Every structure is written in structure tokens, then in C-alpha cells.
Amino acid sequence: MRETWRWFGEFDPLSLTEIAQTGTAGIVSALHAIPYGKVWPAEKIADRRAEIEVAGFTWDVVESLPVHEDIKRGTGPLSQHFDAYRASLENLASAGIKTVCYNFMPILDWTRTDLSAPLPSGGTCLHFSAAKMAVFEIHMLGREAAREAYHQDAIRAGDIWFLSSTEAERDTLLHAVMAGLPGAVDRYDINGLKTVLASYDGLSHDDLRANLKRFLEEVIPTASTLGINMCIHPDDPPGEILGLPRIVSTQDDIGWIMQAVDDPANGLTLCTGSLGANPYNDLPAIARAFGHRTHFAHLRNVTKDPDGSFTESGHLAGDVDLVAVIDELLEAEANHDTNIPFRADHGHALLSDIGQTFQPGYTLIGRLRGLAELRGIIAALS
């Protein structure tokens, strides 16, 4: 397995010189300043690659080449969007980039309710509170239907929290939820989020699946011809939020996607934290089933609560058996002569991380601790 480190370019407080001290070999990056749906220009891709290579790295994975919301909704100038996506793939291939991560989650790339939840031993972590998310949907967005989507314990706790919360605390919750919009994408206020949610009214699970299948049919043949591996990221969290359908949350979902366009270029980003937040997912079994179609791995861990909440734990401390997952990925590499790039996904804010303006979860010390633990697993298994 090949070590990589996610770097947000101009949006990252860490320099490549600092990242070099982690000992990682590859960089995971993207052109976050380019609006969704626009072609990534070849010259900007070349500039980013040169910047990475001058620092002594290779640009191993694009994360992410975003999918326009029109494609997810199945509306708007779809041919134009597909043409732009294919053009970006062609420009990436011309620069030697062969792995592209993307997701098909409506509106938000990921969702948390707390960006700096305190840890018992010091430091902070990312946390998803089902109670606070229920508050956000029911009380702040006015979605009474959300009462059917959450555990009753979460709804009761959320009602109590809302009654005692201040406007500043509710603003902090909105900020945390909006942190799932990456790069230069504008954040929404409550009314703005209501408006964009309304654009998805009536879209069913089957509709979103059909729109993903159309996307795959449009782009996978091009990716395959170019030698690019596309790898879809699972839903985060892997369950319904905001009344939006989720179609990459379970092993069955992944199997459906792999068969929708049965081409090796149509692959998976195996995110153990995202999939691990679903109590019904067996992560070693998923790695065993789809190791041959896993083109990229996000390795992190979570601790789950009965009401649907979860906390991003230490890499060796959560509910996911990362040793077993990595063992399956190493077996897939041996059987299929591949070298799967992986990164220590997210990390606690520890020591000098505290007070820094990192992208949420993308700390230095916390991720380095996670990388060290993953290195230990891989060394022992190898």
C-alpha cells in the first residue's frame, strides 16, 4: 500500500515542506478553487503537479473532481456537464494523473455537528450528534418529517438541547454542518439551505441511483480509455439526512454501483470511517468483496452510539477492525498486482494542532499519529 497525504493547496495552512517531514510519498490534492461544472484547465493541472513534484512528491490521487448538482438531480444542461467532466479527465490524464476520487452525495460532501468535540485525554475530534442533527432539521430547518428519521432518544435529547441553546450555539451548529462544503464553495445560511434542498424535492432513492448510473455510463468509458481509475466515496454519514436519498451506504449499494457499469475503471474509495458509521456494515467483508475494485483507501475509525451518533476515534481505538480491513487490502494487492494508495483519514487535533486553522479533520499531529499507527499495522501484516 502506498502512503499519501491530503493537501488542499492554497486552502491548506500546511506547506509541502512541512508535509515532507511526515515521510509520506504521495499527495492527494485537487483544484478546489475551480467552480463545480467547469473544466479543469490543463495548465492549472500542470502547475499543481509541478508544485507537488518540486517538493519531492508525486500527485497520486485527485480528491475530488466534483460532480455538479445538476447531474445528481438529473436536471439542467447535462450534456454540457458531462462534456466538461470528460474534458477534465482528459487534462488530468495528459498530466499523468490516474486515480480520481469523487462522491455522489447531494449538496454536502460530509456532515458533522461538532468540529472540536473534547477528548477525555485532551485534544479535540470531529463528532456527529444525532440529537443536534435532529435539532438542525426539525427546529432550524422546520422539517417536521425528520422526526421519523431519527432515534427517539436523539429527538428527545435534541428537543432539550434546543430549548436551552443560545443563538451563538445554533450558529456554531450551522457552521459545523456547512463545513461539509469543500474549497471555495459558498456556505449557505438557513434560508439558502432550504432553497437548495427544495431543488431536490421529489427525488427518490431510485431516481438518484438512475442519475448515478447515467453519470457512470457517460464518464467511465472515457476514464477507461484514458487509463484513469474512478473511485466513488461512500456517503458520510451512511444514512439519510436532510431528507435526501443516500445510495453509497452499504455493501449492497457498492455492489449495485460496480455492476451498473461493470468496468475496472468504475471503482471504490474504501472509507472505513464513513462506512464504519453504519452499524450494519462489516468492513472486512466489504474489503474482501471489493478489494479488486478498491483504487483508493481512507483509513480511520469511529465509535458509534445506539442513537445514531458517532465520534471519530483514534485509528486503533474505534469499532472498525482496521487490522482485518488492511489485511484484506494487502491480500487484494497481492492477488491483483496493484498498489493501493491510502491516507490516514482525518485526525484528532492534538498538541500544536490546537488553535490552528486546518480544514476540519485535517490536522498535522493527529494525522501523523494515525499514519504511524497504520504503518505499524502494515509492517506487522507484511
Side-chain angles (χ1 to χ4, degrees), residues 320-366:
V320 176
D321 187 348
L322 276 184
V323 176
V325 170
I326 292 171
D327 196 26
E328 294 292 347
L329 294 179
L330 290 171
E331 183 73 13
E333 284 188 329
N335 291 338
H336 300 281
D337 193 26
T338 60
N339 190 16
I340 299 171
F342 77 94
R343 60 177 180 81
D345 189 23
H346 298 183
H348 293 164
L350 305 173
L351 303 172
S352 59
D353 292 333
I354 305 296
Q356 298 284 343
T357 55
F358 296 112
Q359 297 283 342
Y362 289 93
T363 57
L364 174 58
I365 304 302

Side-chain angles (χ1 to χ4, degrees), residues 201-240:
D201 281 352
L203 188 81
S204 70
H205 179 276
D206 288 345
D207 293 333
L208 190 60
R209 265 192 170 182
N211 294 341
L212 172 57
K213 187 172 190 292
R214 176 163 47 189
F215 170 74
L216 295 173
E217 290 169 343
E218 291 282 351
V219 303
I220 292 299
T222 297
S224 184
T225 299
L226 294 169
I228 287 179
N229 286 324
M230 300 286 294
C231 38
I232 193 166
H233 189 285
D235 301 325
D236 188 6
E240 182 182 310

